[in-house]
Amino acid sequence: MKIARYELLPEAELLARLKRTRLKGFGQPEVYRGAALEILEQADTGVLTPAQRYVLKEGVTCMIELHEAFRPLGVDTFALRGALLFWPEGADPSAEPPIPLLPPVVEESREPDGRTVLLINDGIHRVYAARKLGRRINVVLARNVPA
């Protein structure tokens, strides 16, 4: 994949947009409205807990290819502090919306046995791509998310 154009969405704007993210169904509440959101840098992928029991090989491969496509542009997709908005080669930026790429969203979750785990809510393929390459990864950490 080749990147035709990209823009960086600053950290503050990313976190503000995530605060306004609505949950599908359940009356569409802004699930992170009252949560504390921050960028957690260099998270160890081994301590992040998957919310699902599988990853798609193609998804991990796609995230590695995307990481490689941004390397010549000086962008490390595993060290994002904001979000990337990008258009692949062949896309028309004047007619097509950008593709967003942001750090994985990880929620601090209190488990029934009393443990606190860092649950991968979004971005499991990005986490596993970093893990496969032996990398740490920046994540958006959400605390105090309503049950």
Side-chain angles (χ1 to χ4, degrees):
M1 172 186 293
K2 295 211 183 251
I3 307 301
R5 179 177 157 205
Y6 74 93
E7 298 172 9
L8 186 58
L9 189 69
E11 176 181 345
E13 179 65 19
L14 168 63
L15 298 179
R17 286 186 183 194
L18 285 172
K19 287 266 189 183
R20 297 186 308 264
T21 299
R22 293 190 176 277
L23 183 65
K24 290 184 179 179
F26 307 100
Q28 297 193 336
E30 293 175 326
V31 69
Y32 294 129
R33 183 179 198 182
L37 300 178
E38 66 179 292
I39 299 292
L40 175 63
E41 292 186 329
Q42 298 294 307
D44 178 353
T45 62
V47 301
L48 303 177
T49 303
Q52 60 197 49
R53 297 185 186 271
Y54 68 92
V55 293
L56 301 174
K57 183 178 178 181
E58 298 81 19
V60 174
T61 300
C62 179
M63 290 298 108
I64 291 172
E65 289 172 358
L66 198 56
H67 177 70
E68 292 300 318
F70 273 102
R71 276 183 43 172
L73 303 173
V75 177
D76 183 348
T77 60
F78 299 133
L80 296 175
R81 288 205 54 92
L84 283 171
L85 304 175
F86 72 95
W87 293 262
E89 194 171 81
D92 179 1
S94 65
E96 299 177 47
I99 299 169
L101 180 70
L102 56 144
V105 178
V106 173
E107 294 180 5
E108 189 176 71
S109 175
R110 187 70 128 165
E111 298 300 296
D113 65 3
R115 292 178 303 124
T116 300
V117 299
L118 299 179
L119 189 66
I120 305 165
N121 186 43
D122 179 64
I124 194 165
H125 293 96
R126 284 165 276 169
V127 170
Y128 274 78
R131 182 179 291 177
K132 185 172 183 173
L133 296 176
R135 295 285 311 276
R136 290 177 171 258
I137 190 169
N138 289 3
V139 300
V140 174
L141 178 59
R143 290 189 170 103
N144 304 319
V145 179

